[in-house]
Amino acid sequence: MASTPQPWMARVTSSCSSDTNPTFLITFPDAKYLFNCPENTTRNVLQRGFGLNKYRAIFLSRITTRTSLGLPGFLMTLADSGTKTLKVHGPPGLSHFLASSRHFLNRETLRLEASETDVEDLDPVFKDENLTVYAIPIPLEGEQSDLKEQTPSPERSPSLKRSRSMSPEGAPLAKRLSRDGDTAQGSSSSKMKWTNPVAWRKLIVDRMFPGESGTKFHAQNSGPSAWELKQRLPRWSHRHFATSYFVVGPEYRGKFNATLAESLGVPRGPLRAKLARGESITLPDGKVITPEMIIGESSSAAALLVIDCPSVGAISSLLASPTLSKLVSRERQLLHCVFHMAPDNVMRDPSYIKWMKSLGKDIHHIVANDSVCSDGITFSSSAAMQEKLSELDGELFRRPHFNDSSQESYLQDLGMGDRVLAAKQQVIGMRPLVPPCDSYTEGTNIDPQDSLLPQSSIQSVFSGVKEKILSELPSPIPSRGDDVSISLLGTGSAVPGKYRNVSGALVQIPGFGNILLDCGEGTYGQLRRHFGPQIDTVLREIKLVFLSHIHADHHLGISQLLVERCKLFPPTEYPITLIGPFYSRLYLSEYADIESLGIKTINGVHFLSAEDLEHRRPLKHDTTDIILTYNSVKLRLGLADLRTAAVDHRTTAFGIVLRHVDGWSITYSGDTRPCQNLVDAGMDSTLLIHEATMSDEQEVMAKDKGHSTIGQAVDIACRMKAKKLLLTHFSTRYPKIPVLGRTFTGQGEEAVTLPEIFVGFDHLHIRLGDFSRAERYIPNLENAFSEIKEDIEPKVDSLV
């Protein structure tokens, strides 16, 4: 029981939108506790200024792309921002999910304690001086649903079915941890991996996040080697759970009544201290004094509920939970608020409504689902900048799609008045108790002050520019491939930021289909914002995905995209081919144990090895299936050649060269230092998309971190004889665009004419035929950005 009252609050940090899913944050002056960690959690925290310190625990309701995919990125960001210890709790699958990330998620400075629960228990899963948290796990009989209505739509399929596992991993966690007497410390690695996979995964997670005193992942002569730990995980086959959480705050002792203590003859000193600690004392005359005689009545502990009920089928199990019933009815706690993560059909279910009303008329209910939550702008800084850039050229700089309409009005039909609200980033006071209040008005949420670009700059340098440039351009000579477009979905590096998301670029080939080049966290949300109502058509047309390397900022969003592709209805008529290095493919195959990604289905995901497609190697395929996959994806996209190029990064990494039968070609660098092999592979490309992480003054840092400077990217384009160059993958240290001249002096003294050059921005939509116009905007953009100060984003050096 706490003695000094502290204010604390709960808040909706994100709701259901195109690029976010629900998260809730509890804050004390000295601590933060996060509930769910979907994609874009890190970016949202940076955008809204919640800070990256004081996090003690994260609680996950399910292990799905919509509830937990942002966890790896958030853990990396917290560790690199100084967090030393953290607890993560969730349902079965959490350890498998974390262990599947071992190829890119190791953080030696962080000590992470991960725990899972699959049985109901009145013992808390977490307790410190601020909070006591109880888990209420509910088994799910089918494939995990999301917060959308689970009925087929013209573009979405019915939920996929997964049969209940009968494997030994279906046993309760406590039994699986003790099976055959194995422990992480006492079993040989080969025996443990197959006889006790739970202990094996725990060992891997402990090695990934050892903290200062633990055993490092790459430690030698200390248990399994790093090579053993990197091999394919034992398959995960446990049944799925949705976990709700009952959260109880501190109960504060009443005030010590010194006057009453004096009258009862209690002297100052140790005896009074004992009473203050809740202990009874005996006076010299034999009189017993209890704390209740001196200390005023304690305050009740405020409590809240976080409910995850993903389908109508889960309602009966949730409401029949003895743990939930006992926790809600306990005395000396005051339930103040309930957060509902539940689709529309659950919220309309009579039994669920009856249960909500039974909690009491003074309870506040916050509802998060795609029906009641409006799809307002989430990342207002990026949207504000895009809004202003669109004044220069609305075709190149597309405004993000949003929709502030919702069906929130039906919540009033529940008969509970204004006590039921749609989640829209409210703040709820827990001490003192305060009703939910909006932190800001939802809707477009584009604040002109939130943009990098001052309005004065826009008016002075953008007005009439497009019209003037179009009038000055010579009549274009049509070329094949002019209508091929590139949409940049992320142009930042390392961590998602307020103005730039991490890597992703979509190539659209009219009449053939789409190619996705890298897929960092949040890529699917960027696609939704970029294409709006056309998202399902665009997703259906993606026929090839290229993942350049295993670093999280280049591939962590791919599982979300594949999950959404599985929902398309009717299903796609052809598979999606994924080219990537070995560990990227291994990560996806392991994650697919938890959530279906469409791997190994007829029109699902077909893998090709980036290593096998390296342009210096003769094409040699081991099986007929691989030959068919390679030839069929080339045929569907009209590609004459499709090859990778090993590049120079801190890990195994590749670029890719796409040569079309119409004569145009695109080379994409991924992350790399200046690399002659990429030059050779992409010689005479129509377009080079090349990373430009660092400014020219940071050449030494770029080399150390395996990246290129702006000038080095330009040099590579010149040596490659590329006709056009698109720069991307900028460090958050450099929000300004680079200053580019018309000539560049290479290694010799001869001046080399530059290719047509443009600088990438998130949501840039540029056709190959647009570069002549676009590059003429650069002086105007340089002027507009000249007033911007650097270092606008947090520096997370170790992630770059």
Side-chain angles (χ1 to χ4, degrees), residues 416-438:
M416 301 172 68
D418 60 1
R419 295 281 174 171
V420 185
L421 301 172
K424 54 176 67 175
Q425 304 189 354
Q426 294 95 338
V427 177
I428 302 97
M430 299 299 294
R431 182 177 179 86
L433 295 177
V434 178
C437 59
D438 294 353

Side-chain angles (χ1 to χ4, degrees), residues 442-722:
E442 195 160 12
T444 63
N445 300 332
I446 299 179
D447 183 354
Q449 302 302 317
D450 217 4
S451 173
L452 277 171
L453 299 174
Q455 187 61 34
S456 58
S457 297
I458 299 300
Q459 295 172 347
S460 62
V461 301
F462 285 179
S463 179
V465 170
K466 179 182 178 181
E467 293 76 11
K468 181 175 182 295
I469 288 175
L470 287 175
S471 67
E472 295 173 349
L473 281 174
S475 299
I477 300 174
S479 299
R480 288 188 174 185
D482 278 353
D483 57 349
V484 173
S485 65
I486 297 91
S487 297
L488 294 183
L489 308 169
T491 57
S493 65
V495 292
K498 291 170 63 176
Y499 299 97
R500 297 182 187 272
N501 194 43
V502 288
S503 295
L506 185 76
V507 179
Q508 293 178 284
I509 311 172
F512 290 94
N514 303 335
I515 300 170
L516 184 62
L517 304 175
D518 276 330
C519 190
E521 180 181 343
T523 293
Y524 178 70
Q526 294 285 87
L527 283 167
R528 290 187 66 181
R529 290 294 184 196
H530 193 77
F531 293 102
Q534 301 301 314
I535 176 59
D536 285 342
T537 300
V538 171
L539 181 59
R540 188 182 297 278
E541 286 296 309
I542 296 177
K543 300 176 181 178
L544 173 64
V545 175
F546 170 69
L547 302 179
S548 61
H549 62 293
I550 192 61
H551 286 166
D553 59 322
H554 288 257
H555 80 96
L556 200 52
I558 185 61
S559 52
Q560 176 79 68
L561 183 133
L562 294 178
V563 165
E564 297 300 329
R565 185 178 186 272
C566 287
K567 298 175 185 176
L568 291 174
F569 186 79
T572 56
E573 298 177 356
Y574 39 76
I576 185 171
T577 301
L578 192 149
I579 299 174
F582 173 76
Y583 286 128
S584 297
R585 308 193 308 272
L586 179 59
Y587 163 73
L588 287 174
S589 67
E590 291 176 347
Y591 181 84
D593 291 348
I594 302 174
E595 189 172 16
S596 176
L597 303 180
I599 294 176
K600 295 183 179 179
T601 59
I602 294 176
N603 290 329
V605 183
H606 291 185
F607 290 120
L608 286 175
S609 166
E611 292 87 347
D612 289 344
L613 297 182
E614 219 282 334
H615 76 107
R616 292 169 296 185
R617 299 181 181 180
L619 285 173
K620 184 174 69 173
H621 303 306
D622 296 332
T623 67
T624 302
D625 287 345
I626 294 177
I627 296 173
L628 290 174
T629 298
Y630 178 73
N631 289 333
S632 62
V633 72
K634 287 204 307 177
L635 180 64
R636 285 196 297 271
L637 289 167
L639 296 177
D641 197 18
L642 170 62
R643 302 302 293 265
T644 62
V647 294
D648 185 11
H649 193 40
R650 293 185 299 165
T651 187
T652 301
F654 294 87
I656 192 169
V657 182
L658 311 166
R659 298 191 184 274
H660 201 268
V661 293
D662 285 345
W664 56 266
S665 56
I666 294 177
T667 297
Y668 172 67
S669 71
D671 282 6
T672 182
R673 300 178 181 94
C675 180
Q676 183 61 40
N677 189 47
L678 184 70
V679 172
D680 296 339
M683 187 61 67
D684 295 317
S685 287
T686 308
L687 170 66
L688 169 63
I689 304 173
H690 202 286
E691 70 123 290
T693 308
M694 304 291 182
S695 68
D696 291 344
E697 294 78 21
Q698 299 291 335
E699 188 170 324
V700 174
M701 181 185 294
K703 182 177 180 180
D704 291 343
K705 296 182 178 297
H707 291 294
S708 299
T709 66
I710 295 162
Q712 289 171 338
V714 175
D715 182 34
I716 290 295
C718 293
R719 287 155 55 188
M720 188 182 289
K721 301 180 182 179

